[in-house]
């Protein structure tokens, strides 16, 4: 019963990393939200899937490699789900092997079903 | 009904805050409750030093007007510090607080709409 | 679900991005620069007519008026609404903004 | 001879009005540049052509109708040329009759020739 | 002319917008999120290969490295340059930024 | 050669100022002269109150570093007033002046590049 009382919130990460601050500030929010014992999902679609690409090294830009945080979001920060849209990966020539951490790869139909369960969306 | 409003763009540059202002004004007239969270560049909307031409809308003053109508406006502390919206620069309508307030808004509002 | 679009379809892919998640009973709301999609004779007229076959499309009047798009120039069956109508739609269905 | 010493600068207006401040702040720059007796051109292409559409009324947004300034840019502010890209108009279902002021409608080939003469571009 | 592109081709029309003004001897420089256009196997590979037939295409290495695009993943004949190379290109040809 | 640099985006939100900083640093190492004009949201890069996390780059400080290397950085007065970048809030590296300075930069520089 208690499970049902949790608020379901989904982050929609649709932007590429480094070109804008969206990924970085989205992660700041994810880390914070995780501490509140609600039911938080993070979905990567469109250019957001690039945020999960292995091998990022933004040191030449004077920036930090935020992608490593995704590896510990579920275990250390109690994010319930990390979803990636299958079609967005394919369109960008990426496969599961290119991703820095284990995620649930869903097609749009399955993802939309998850979205229908949400109370609120935080789009980036 | 309680409506949560998330604003991610700064003043003047994008229409987001203008659209949100008109949306909120309409919602209040309809008797709805509204609470605002300012994130990303949205924190700039509360800059106390903005001084647009006299014949142009003054966005921080529009926020003050919403506040007098009972709208709480929370400015993300992390996004604000990074950009220089801090105690010395925030307008009186803006209340600096943490990202937890955004999640609280997701919980306590009936709808969250992003501009 | 209420899909809120705010970018011009001529410069952003938001109009095609959200379409992948459009389901029956969803509502579409064109605001800000996205109202250019509602104009007759533009490149996206057929896309919008396609959406109208299955879903209700609303357009924010303040945004069309600002941009000089007269009511007669708006694709048939798109419904013009004001900000109170916008609030109604948000109350009706869970909103998601595609920026 | 004096004509040749003038610096040729072109504004490239590619964004729709009201959704962003670009049109408004571009006009502020045009008005200022006109006073310096250089050779200033303004080109509308892509969504920038919407800035010239007749009948704009942004009062419901609390904004001013900037499009009227285009009518006096040449006479009052000594802007040398107002160009509009023909293809961008067509793609948006606009004709010369839809425009608020008289402009030179050029196709891309002709416009590119003008661009080749410029020393600097101010893109919006 | 040096065409500087900085938006992702997947979310912005900048890549197709600038193409209309590409002429022989022009140089193309992909920077920031536009470097995703330089990645093999993506949706825009054929577009880039088409440009490479007639024009030189450069890509900013700091931006590909940041995004985890290895040198081997970059479409053949695109030349990687650093910021000094960027300065060189600006000196060589008049720059225009398509944002 | 003199390179003019036009910056239209704010700090952190977009990569523009970071790209420009790296470009300018390279140009200076190559012995070129550089002058910067900050327009639109670009004026925010000179906000004296920004206070990012310690492990993150401090963009106003990067501007100060460029200034010590001889780079003039002009902040558009109109864009700045509208957004609250004024005498009280601008960092020491930023010099507030009019749009005429941007045209001057078009005239006096050999190239103008926009970020």
């Amino acid at each position: 019963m208690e499970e049902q009382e949790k608020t379901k919130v989904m982050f929609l990460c649709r932007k590429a990393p480094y070109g804008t601050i969206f990924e970085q500030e989205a992660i700041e929010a994810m880390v914070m939200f995780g501490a509140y014992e609600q039911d938080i999902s993070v979905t990567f679609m469109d250019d957001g899937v690039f945020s999960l690409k292995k091998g990022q090294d933004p040191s030449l830009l004077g920036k930090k490699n935020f992608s490593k945080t995704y590896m510990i979001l579920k275990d250390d920060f109690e994010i319930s789900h990390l979803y990636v849209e299958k079609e967005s990966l394919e369109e960008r020539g990426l496969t599961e092997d290119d991703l820095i951490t284990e995620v649930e790869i869903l097609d749009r139909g399955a993802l939309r079903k998850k979205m229908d369960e949400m109370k609120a969306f935080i789009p980036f | 009904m309680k409506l949560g409003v998330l604003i991610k763009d700064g003043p003047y540059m994008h229409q987001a805050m203008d659209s949100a202002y008109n949306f909120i004004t309409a919602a209040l007239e309809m008797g709805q409750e509204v609470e605002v969270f300012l994130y990303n560049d949205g924190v700039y909307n509360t800059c106390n030093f903005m001084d647009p031409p006299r014949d142009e809308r003054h966005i921080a003053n529009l926020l003050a007007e919403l506040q007098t109508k009972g709208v709480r406006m929370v400015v993300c502390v992390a996004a604000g510090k990074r950009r220089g919206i801090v105690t010395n620069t925030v307008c009186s309508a803006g209340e600096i607080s943490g990202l937890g307030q955004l999640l609280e808004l997701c919980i306590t509002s009936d709808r969250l709409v992003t501009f | 679900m209420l899909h809120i679009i705010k970018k011009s379809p001529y410069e952003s892919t938001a109009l095609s991005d959200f379409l992948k998640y459009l389901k029956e009973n969803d509502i579409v709301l064109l605001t800000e620069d996205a109202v250019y999609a509602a104009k007759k004779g533009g490149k996206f007229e057929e896309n919008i007519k396609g959406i109208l076959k299955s879903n209700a499309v609303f357009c924010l009047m303040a945004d069309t008026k600002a941009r000089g798009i007269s009511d007669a120039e708006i694709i048939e069956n798109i419904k013009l609404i004001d900000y109170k109508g916008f609030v109604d739609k948000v109350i009706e269905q869970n909103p998601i903004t595609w920026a």
Side-chain angles (χ1 to χ4, degrees), chain A, chain B, chain C:
Chain A
M1 280 305 289
E2 203 195 308
E3 190 68 19
Q4 292 203 353
E5 286 165 25
K6 289 185 178 179
T7 297
K8 291 192 171 194
V9 176
M10 184 182 275
F11 285 89
L12 284 177
C13 301
R14 300 181 52 240
K15 303 292 178 194
Y18 308 113
T20 60
I21 202 172
F22 288 124
E23 183 204 18
Q24 182 185 353
E25 294 198 322
I27 290 175
E28 289 176 3
M30 290 168 199
V31 164
M32 200 62 82
F33 279 28
Y36 285 73
E37 299 192 335
Q38 301 299 319
D39 188 358
I40 312 297
S41 304
V42 177
T43 297
F44 299 87
M45 59 168 74
D46 301 322
D47 275 354
V49 302
F50 282 131
S51 297
L52 294 168
K53 194 173 189 309
K54 274 182 192 162
Q56 297 176 32
D57 176 12
S59 55
L60 287 172
L61 305 181
K63 296 188 182 189
K64 286 185 292 187
N65 182 355
F66 303 104
S67 63
K68 294 189 172 166
T69 312
Y70 296 122
M71 301 166 75
I72 55 171
L73 271 183
K74 285 174 78 169
D75 290 344
D76 292 9
F77 294 104
E78 306 198 32
I79 295 294
S80 310
H81 297 281
L82 293 183
Y83 301 120
V84 177
E85 190 204 86
K86 191 170 167 283
E87 292 86 345
S88 292
L89 282 180
E90 288 169 357
E91 202 179 38
R92 287 160 184 80
L94 297 174
T95 67
E96 201 166 350
D97 291 340
D98 292 310
L99 307 184
I100 193 169
T101 187
E102 212 172 286
V103 289
E104 298 169 59
I105 299 180
L106 300 179
D107 65 21
R108 281 168 193 154
L111 213 39
R112 170 63 200 240
K113 283 202 189 92
K114 302 286 182 192
M115 289 162 74
D116 283 335
E117 297 169 8
M118 297 297 139
K119 184 178 179 202
F121 298 96
I122 314 281
F124 284 96
Chain B
M1 220 178 204
K2 178 168 173 180
L3 302 174
V5 171
L6 173 60
I7 295 166
K8 300 169 72 262
D9 285 322
Y12 305 109
M13 186 68 219
H14 293 94
Q15 203 189 325
M17 188 65 236
D18 298 301
S19 298
Y21 168 78
N22 285 317
F23 176 89
I24 294 166
T25 303
L28 295 174
E29 281 175 22
M30 293 163 75
Q32 313 296 342
E33 188 190 347
V34 180
E35 182 175 326
V36 175
F37 190 87
L38 299 148
Y39 198 37
N40 300 135
D41 272 6
V43 300
Y44 284 132
N45 290 293
T46 62
C47 180
N48 200 33
F49 289 89
M50 66 174 75
D51 182 19
R54 270 160 192 266
D55 58 348
E56 199 172 322
R57 71 210 183 285
H58 187 302
I59 287 185
N61 287 354
L62 296 182
L63 296 195
E65 176 203 317
L66 293 178
Q67 193 198 29
T68 64
K69 292 180 180 168
V71 178
R72 183 179 179 215
M73 271 164 291
V74 178
V75 182
C76 172
V77 60
K81 274 190 83 170
R82 181 174 280 126
R83 290 170 180 80
I85 300 300
V86 291
T87 313
N88 286 325
T89 51
V90 74
C91 69
S92 60
E95 173 188 337
I96 294 175
S97 192
L99 275 161
Q101 293 295 313
L102 175 56
L103 181 56
E104 284 290 336
L105 191 55
C106 294
I107 296 169
T108 61
S109 63
D110 298 285
R111 296 281 192 223
L112 181 78
V113 57
T114 301
F115 283 89
Chain C
M1 202 168 276
L2 168 67
H3 299 273
I4 302 172
I5 324 288
K6 48 185 246 177
K7 293 269 160 78
S8 163
Y10 293 95
E11 71 151 24
S12 148
T13 56
L15 193 74
S16 50
D17 291 343
F18 100 91
L19 259 183
K20 307 163 190 166
Y21 286 93
L22 187 66
K23 234 160 99 169
E24 54 178 340
N25 299 322
D26 284 1
I27 299 175
V28 179
L29 174 60
L30 304 171
T31 70
E32 302 190 1
D33 286 342
V35 301
Y36 288 117
K39 192 186 151 294
K40 281 182 192 162
K43 196 177 160 188
F44 297 92
E45 181 163 356
E46 290 312 310
N47 304 49
I48 296 293
K49 283 182 174 166
I51 298 171
L52 280 163
K53 281 182 190 152
S54 52
N55 294 78
V57 179
F58 295 85
C59 191
L60 206 54
M61 201 172 48
D63 283 318
T64 56
K65 275 199 193 310
R67 290 159 181 81
I69 304 172
S70 68
D71 296 2
E73 282 179 293
I74 290 172
I75 294 167
E76 266 174 63
N77 295 324
I78 291 181
K79 292 168 200 121
L80 285 171
I81 57 174
D82 60 10
Y83 285 102
K84 286 187 179 173
F86 187 173
V87 175
D88 279 334
K89 296 303 147 202
V90 166
I91 291 171
E92 258 175 60
Q93 296 217 28
N94 201 14
I96 181 164
T97 302
W98 302 86

